[in-house]
Each structure stands twice: as structure tokens, then as C-alpha cells.
Amino acid sequence: MPQGNSTKPRGASSPKLIRDRADELVSAIGRDDFFALLSSALGDILHFEFLIVFLYRKDAAPARLHDSITAARHRKGLNNYLKNTYVLNPFYQALRKGVEPGVYFMKNFMPAPCDLENRQQDFRLRVDSYEEIGFLTEDWPSGMQELLLVMPIDPSTLVEVSLSKKEAGGGFTAGNVTELRGVFSFLHALIRKHWEVASHLLAPELEAPLLERLFMNFGQDVLSERERQVIRLVLLGHSSTSVALNLGVALPTVKSHRRNAYAKLEISSQAELFALFMSSVHELRDSL
């Protein structure tokens, strides 16, 4: 399990962030501009080209909480990551096994052996040995280096602040890491408090126990156990290819289970699946 060591800051903390921005950041907790101000404050510590804040939840595809991307093409690349290539990302693979809070280079998470050549079309990626993680998501800028702030919120929820910079321009330095480690505990506490106050706005969803009951009940009278596993992942935002990787089965098998489940539920599209699921949400809530 990779260790970030950021809970024990090394060297002096960044006085500029603490002195000039701490009160501003604390005041922004619970507000819509919290992550924009956080991005600005981090820019006082080190230079980066753009920042993305991701939310990871157990058994769900990642979600974007905030980003400073300006290029439309690169935003398409981000959307492709959120829908497809995240399952191949070395950080996501490490996250499933457990990652300690801390500051990391993306290269700290070596990618697991993976047959990328045969997955280029399914995942809309290009294999490239010059890239930091061995491949490039379609429409994502090339030659970027990533520095990650990994901040668990609770056992099933984690926020990742990803900073990106062109490696050809020098990339991030060990000094950058030291400065971020110096303020990591403060930033982690800020984000945990912001989540506590504004989680219903950041990721509006059902309470976890109720959500689990819904998944347990949904289709239980007509679907097989494997079909329910497939449908659960589809409802959580996974593509068929992602479902195949998560369940360790072949893509045609997933498509077959999905087709059979749709037939048993008497639906013919993903839109109808979501509508049917939301109908069960309302029924369960009315019964409480």
C-alpha cells in the first residue's frame, strides 16, 4: 500500500497560504466557490496548469467536483476518463486496495499489467510509453505530470485533488511536494469539513443505508444474482466495459446479462432502467 507520509509534514509549512488565505478558505466552507478558492490558494504555493477535484465512492464511478480546465477538447478528455478510462488508471487501481492520506506523484502508482493494446478502441485511449502511466486518454493533453492530494473523508468516500503540469517544462519538484505536505493536514481538515457541510450539494444522493436497501430490493424477484450485480454497476455509472473489468468477466458476458435483465424488467434502454429504479426509490421512501 503506497504511503504518502503527509500526515507528518516535513519542513516549514507554507506561510503565505496560512497567513493570507486560511481565513478566506475557512469562511468559504459550504459555499459554491470553496474549490475555486482552494485552487487559487494552491496556486500561491506552486505553479500548475490545471486542477481537478475528484470524488471517489465505493463501487461507483468517480465524479468531478471542480476543475479549472479551459480547453474544450481537454474537457472531453476528462469526460472520457470519468466514463471509461478511470478503470485503467493506476491510482484508481491502487485505491481499490487502499491508499493512505498524503501527497503523491502519479508515478508512485505503477500500473498493473494490462493488455492495453487490445483495449484502445473500447476505452478510447492511445498506448504511449512516453506518458507517465503508459497510455493517453483520448482528447487529454499529452506529456502531463500529475501530483495528487489524497484525502479520505470516511471509509467509503475519498476526495482527490489532482494538479497537472507539463513534464517537459520541468514538472513538479521535490520542493513542491514538501510544501504541500506542510499544509496537507490543514487542507484535509478543510475538505472534510466542507464535505460535512455541503455533501448534499456536492453529490446529491440517497443515504447509504437506504441506497443499499434499494439495490438489494431492485429486481430481486426476477433477476439472477449476477444480473443484479451488472445492473447495480450500470446504475452507479459504469459502462459495460467497466462492468466487465469490475466483475472479472468478458464484455460479451456483461452484454448478455444486461440484455437478459432488460428483458426481464420489460425495458429496452438505459433511460428506462433509470426511470424504473427511480420509481422504486419513490415507492420505498413512501413506505418509510
Side-chain angles (χ1 to χ4, degrees):
M1 180 185 300
Q3 301 289 324
N5 296 324
S6 58
T7 53
K8 296 180 179 179
R10 301 177 184 177
S13 63
S14 174
K16 185 171 181 59
L17 174 67
I18 300 301
R19 183 182 66 244
D20 296 345
R21 309 302 295 272
D23 289 345
E24 182 183 13
L25 286 167
V26 170
S27 298
I29 288 173
R31 295 195 334 230
D32 291 343
D33 62 345
F34 173 80
F35 284 118
L37 289 172
L38 176 65
S39 177
S40 174
L42 287 171
D44 288 345
I45 298 178
L46 74 167
H47 170 71
F48 52 87
E49 296 186 34
F50 57 82
L51 168 150
I52 308 173
V53 183
F54 293 103
L55 173 70
Y56 292 90
R57 309 206 76 175
K58 186 178 180 181
D59 295 331
R64 181 201 69 88
L65 297 181
H66 175 81
D67 72 77
S68 61
I69 294 174
T70 56
R73 180 184 176 187
H74 298 161
R75 187 167 298 283
K76 287 174 61 179
L78 172 60
N79 290 335
N80 186 27
Y81 170 78
L82 293 172
K83 293 179 180 178
N84 294 294
T85 59
Y86 73 89
V87 295
L88 300 177
N89 185 280
F91 171 69
Y92 178 77
Q93 294 295 331
L95 181 61
R96 298 177 67 190
K97 300 175 183 177
V99 178
E100 294 294 322
V103 181
Y104 300 88
F105 286 106
M106 177 62 82
K107 62 186 178 185
N108 293 145
F109 304 99
M110 296 302 292
C114 184
D115 185 13
L116 292 173
E117 293 288 349
N118 292 325
R119 292 178 173 174
Q120 293 186 77
Q121 185 172 356
D122 286 340
F123 285 94
R124 295 169 58 191
L125 59 85
R126 186 183 80 240
V127 176
D128 189 337
S129 60
Y130 290 100
E131 289 297 319
E132 189 175 30
I133 58 175
F135 67 88
L136 183 68
T137 294
E138 184 178 289
D139 293 319
W140 192 249
S142 62
M144 304 302 290
Q145 184 185 41
E146 281 189 71
L147 195 56
L148 314 179
L149 283 73
V150 178
M151 303 177 176
I153 304 300
D154 58 45
S156 63
T157 308
L158 180 143
V159 169
E160 173 207 347
V161 179
S162 170
L163 309 174
S164 292
K165 184 179 183 181
K166 280 284 187 183
E167 196 162 16
F172 296 109
T173 67
N176 293 149
V177 174
T178 298
E179 286 200 290
L180 287 175
R181 284 176 173 163
V183 296
F184 180 86
S185 294
F186 172 68
L187 296 178
H188 192 185
L190 276 178
I191 287 179
R192 292 182 71 170
K193 187 63 178 178
H194 181 61
W195 177 262
E196 178 185 328
V197 172
S199 60
H200 63 292
L201 300 175
L202 297 173
E205 60 181 36
L206 299 167
E207 298 84 355
L210 180 57
L211 185 61
E212 287 304 314
R213 285 180 59 186
L214 283 166
F215 282 125
M216 287 177 61
N217 294 337
F218 187 67
Q220 65 176 345
D221 295 334
V222 294
L223 301 182
S224 70
E225 180 63 26
R226 181 60 92 184
E227 288 166 350
R228 288 168 63 194
Q229 291 173 347
V230 169
I231 291 301
R232 174 192 173 101
L233 290 172
V234 171
L235 288 168
L236 287 169
H238 293 262
S239 66
S240 291
T241 308
S242 170
V243 173
L245 283 176
N246 275 274
L247 296 181
V249 299
L251 180 58
T253 301
V254 169
K255 291 182 176 179
S256 176
H257 284 312
R258 192 168 178 173
R259 183 169 55 251
N260 292 339
Y262 279 19
K264 291 178 180 179
L265 294 171
E266 299 181 346
I267 58 176
S268 59
S269 69
Q270 186 167 321
E272 289 181 309
L273 173 65
F274 282 110
L276 186 62
F277 182 71
M278 290 311 298
S279 176
S280 70
V281 170
H282 297 313
E283 289 176 5
L284 181 57
R285 278 182 163 165
D286 290 342
S287 69
L288 296 178

